Amino acid sequence: MAPDLTARPPSFARVSLAVMTSGREANLLGNIHGGEIMKLADSTAGAVAQRHSGGPAVTAAMDEMAFLEPVHVGDIVRTFAQVNWAGTSSMEIGVRVEAQPWNDPSTSSLHVASAYFVFVAIDAEGRSRAVPPLLPESPDEVRRMREAEIRRAHRLAKRQEIETGRRAAGA
């Protein structure tokens, strides 16, 4: 059976996850370790990639992760993710991370981190496979797609520059 490659809007695969943090995830400063936040963001992005592509997808790169505020033990951490861009077999998934104290619902959620992950859809043998095109439906989704294309162009240009330098150095 051929995979469904019908264009899909970002809303098709959008995912939100939430966890309550504990001392088990704390770093030496008593805040939640950045690696724990990265893991949660990657898991959320992976669910989005699987939904959009209609099958297994693996993390190929984390293009950027910005930590904006600390996350404290006991905070409720929520991740929000969606596909920003889809190519032939890869997708960029944007993730927003927010935190709110567990015991104070009147406190507004705080934007604590953002990340951009690149996932590649794979088949049963682990080879890349085609993914559906992305069909943005709002000006915000069009902006996200344009910005993802810029990040992709920068990744590709950086890789090309590195490879050119290595060839020139005989490495």
Side-chain angles (χ1 to χ4, degrees):
M1 175 153 87
D4 180 7
L5 296 178
T6 305
R8 297 177 175 157
S11 60
F12 178 83
R14 197 172 284 141
V15 168
S16 176
L17 296 178
V19 298
M20 187 177 336
T21 60
S22 71
R24 197 173 61 244
E25 296 98 18
N27 63 21
L28 294 175
L29 298 175
N31 298 319
I32 301 306
H33 196 287
E36 295 293 333
I37 302 301
M38 292 171 76
K39 181 179 176 183
L40 180 60
D42 184 41
S43 294
T44 310
V48 170
Q50 172 100 10
R51 285 176 163 207
H52 181 81
S53 70
V58 295
T59 308
M62 184 174 69
D63 194 42
E64 179 181 325
M65 181 139 200
F67 294 99
L68 308 171
E69 299 285 342
V71 176
H72 306 288
V73 172
D75 283 354
I76 296 171
V77 177
R78 292 182 185 89
T79 54
F80 305 90
Q82 70 178 45
V83 179
N84 289 336
W85 174 87
T88 304
S89 62
S90 63
M91 302 155 276
E92 182 195 273
I93 314 297
V95 182
R96 178 183 173 98
V97 184
E98 296 181 356
Q100 182 182 36
W102 70 274
N103 60 351
D104 187 0
S106 66
T107 302
S108 297
S109 293
L110 185 62
H111 182 195
V112 296
S114 290
Y116 301 102
F117 291 87
V118 178
F119 275 76
V120 174
I122 58 169
D123 63 16
E125 286 77 43
R127 291 185 297 263
S128 63
R129 62 179 174 80
V131 300
L134 189 65
L135 184 64
E137 297 180 310
S138 71
D140 184 56
E141 291 170 354
V142 170
R143 175 192 59 79
R144 287 174 182 269
M145 190 164 76
R146 181 183 58 78
E147 290 172 1
E149 289 169 346
I150 292 168
R151 282 186 291 275
R152 180 175 186 271
H154 284 218
R155 277 193 309 275
L156 295 175
K158 181 172 83 173
R159 181 171 48 187
Q160 178 63 40
E161 187 68 26
I162 289 169
E163 289 172 1
T164 298
R166 287 180 178 173
R167 280 193 300 275

PDB file of all heavy atoms in Angstrom, residues 23 43 74 81 93 99 107 109 137 146 153:
ATOM      1  N   GLY A  23      12.270  16.571  41.747  1.00  0.00           N
ATOM      2  CA  GLY A  23      13.673  16.706  42.116  1.00  0.00           C
ATOM      3  C   GLY A  23      14.576  15.742  41.377  1.00  0.00           C
ATOM      4  O   GLY A  23      15.776  15.980  41.242  1.00  0.00           O
ATOM      5  N   SER A  43      10.774  14.471  22.337  1.00  0.00           N
ATOM      6  CA  SER A  43       9.660  13.512  22.339  1.00  0.00           C
ATOM      7  C   SER A  43       8.410  14.117  21.711  1.00  0.00           C
ATOM      8  O   SER A  43       7.711  13.457  20.939  1.00  0.00           O
ATOM      9  CB  SER A  43       9.350  13.064  23.768  1.00  0.00           C
ATOM     10  OG  SER A  43      10.427  12.330  24.298  1.00  0.00           O
ATOM     11  N   GLY A  74       8.763  21.017  40.539  1.00  0.00           N
ATOM     12  CA  GLY A  74       7.334  21.168  40.806  1.00  0.00           C
ATOM     13  C   GLY A  74       6.571  21.917  39.738  1.00  0.00           C
ATOM     14  O   GLY A  74       5.345  21.925  39.751  1.00  0.00           O
ATOM     15  N   ALA A  81       4.033  21.658  19.828  1.00  0.00           N
ATOM     16  CA  ALA A  81       4.866  21.436  18.647  1.00  0.00           C
ATOM     17  C   ALA A  81       4.021  21.287  17.393  1.00  0.00           C
ATOM     18  O   ALA A  81       2.877  20.817  17.443  1.00  0.00           O
ATOM     19  CB  ALA A  81       5.730  20.193  18.843  1.00  0.00           C
ATOM     20  N   ILE A  93      10.370  20.566  12.872  1.00  0.00           N
ATOM     21  CA  ILE A  93       9.332  20.649  13.882  1.00  0.00           C
ATOM     22  C   ILE A  93       9.733  21.737  14.872  1.00  0.00           C
ATOM     23  O   ILE A  93      10.830  21.693  15.437  1.00  0.00           O
ATOM     24  CB  ILE A  93       9.174  19.313  14.656  1.00  0.00           C
ATOM     25  CG1 ILE A  93       9.154  18.101  13.726  1.00  0.00           C
ATOM     26  CG2 ILE A  93       7.959  19.377  15.574  1.00  0.00           C
ATOM     27  CD1 ILE A  93       8.030  18.029  12.754  1.00  0.00           C
ATOM     28  N   ALA A  99       6.230  26.848  31.240  1.00  0.00           N
ATOM     29  CA  ALA A  99       6.179  26.302  32.598  1.00  0.00           C
ATOM     30  C   ALA A  99       5.259  27.154  33.460  1.00  0.00           C
ATOM     31  O   ALA A  99       5.126  28.362  33.251  1.00  0.00           O
ATOM     32  CB  ALA A  99       7.578  26.252  33.202  1.00  0.00           C
ATOM     33  N   THR A 107      -1.054  31.959  38.196  1.00  0.00           N
ATOM     34  CA  THR A 107       0.188  32.418  37.583  1.00  0.00           C
ATOM     35  C   THR A 107       0.174  32.057  36.104  1.00  0.00           C
ATOM     36  O   THR A 107      -0.075  30.907  35.740  1.00  0.00           O
ATOM     37  CB  THR A 107       1.412  31.768  38.268  1.00  0.00           C
ATOM     38  OG1 THR A 107       1.381  32.095  39.646  1.00  0.00           O
ATOM     39  CG2 THR A 107       2.708  32.247  37.654  1.00  0.00           C
ATOM     40  N   SER A 109       1.429  31.011  32.463  1.00  0.00           N
ATOM     41  CA  SER A 109       2.517  30.170  31.966  1.00  0.00           C
ATOM     42  C   SER A 109       3.613  31.057  31.421  1.00  0.00           C
ATOM     43  O   SER A 109       3.350  32.103  30.809  1.00  0.00           O
ATOM     44  CB  SER A 109       2.019  29.235  30.867  1.00  0.00           C
ATOM     45  OG  SER A 109       1.126  28.293  31.395  1.00  0.00           O
ATOM     46  N   GLU A 137      -1.976  27.201   6.559  1.00  0.00           N
ATOM     47  CA  GLU A 137      -3.321  27.747   6.426  1.00  0.00           C
ATOM     48  C   GLU A 137      -3.463  29.159   6.970  1.00  0.00           C
ATOM     49  O   GLU A 137      -4.501  29.777   6.778  1.00  0.00           O
ATOM     50  CB  GLU A 137      -4.325  26.844   7.162  1.00  0.00           C
ATOM     51  CG  GLU A 137      -4.414  25.460   6.581  1.00  0.00           C
ATOM     52  CD  GLU A 137      -5.412  24.589   7.325  1.00  0.00           C
ATOM     53  OE1 GLU A 137      -5.347  24.530   8.571  1.00  0.00           O
ATOM     54  OE2 GLU A 137      -6.254  23.977   6.646  1.00  0.00           O
ATOM     55  N   ARG A 146       8.497  29.963   6.073  1.00  0.00           N
ATOM     56  CA  ARG A 146       9.550  30.795   5.479  1.00  0.00           C
ATOM     57  C   ARG A 146      10.788  30.805   6.375  1.00  0.00           C
ATOM     58  O   ARG A 146      11.910  30.643   5.911  1.00  0.00           O
ATOM     59  CB  ARG A 146       9.041  32.221   5.261  1.00  0.00           C
ATOM     60  CG  ARG A 146      10.079  33.156   4.622  1.00  0.00           C
ATOM     61  CD  ARG A 146       9.559  34.574   4.491  1.00  0.00           C
ATOM     62  NE  ARG A 146       9.161  35.175   5.753  1.00  0.00           N
ATOM     63  CZ  ARG A 146      10.018  35.675   6.655  1.00  0.00           C
ATOM     64  NH1 ARG A 146      11.301  35.645   6.434  1.00  0.00           N
ATOM     65  NH2 ARG A 146       9.566  36.217   7.771  1.00  0.00           N
ATOM     66  N   ALA A 153      18.387  26.543   4.725  1.00  0.00           N
ATOM     67  CA  ALA A 153      19.422  27.082   3.825  1.00  0.00           C
ATOM     68  C   ALA A 153      20.726  27.324   4.582  1.00  0.00           C
ATOM     69  O   ALA A 153      21.806  27.042   4.075  1.00  0.00           O
ATOM     70  CB  ALA A 153      18.926  28.365   3.162  1.00  0.00           C
TER      71      ALA A 153
END
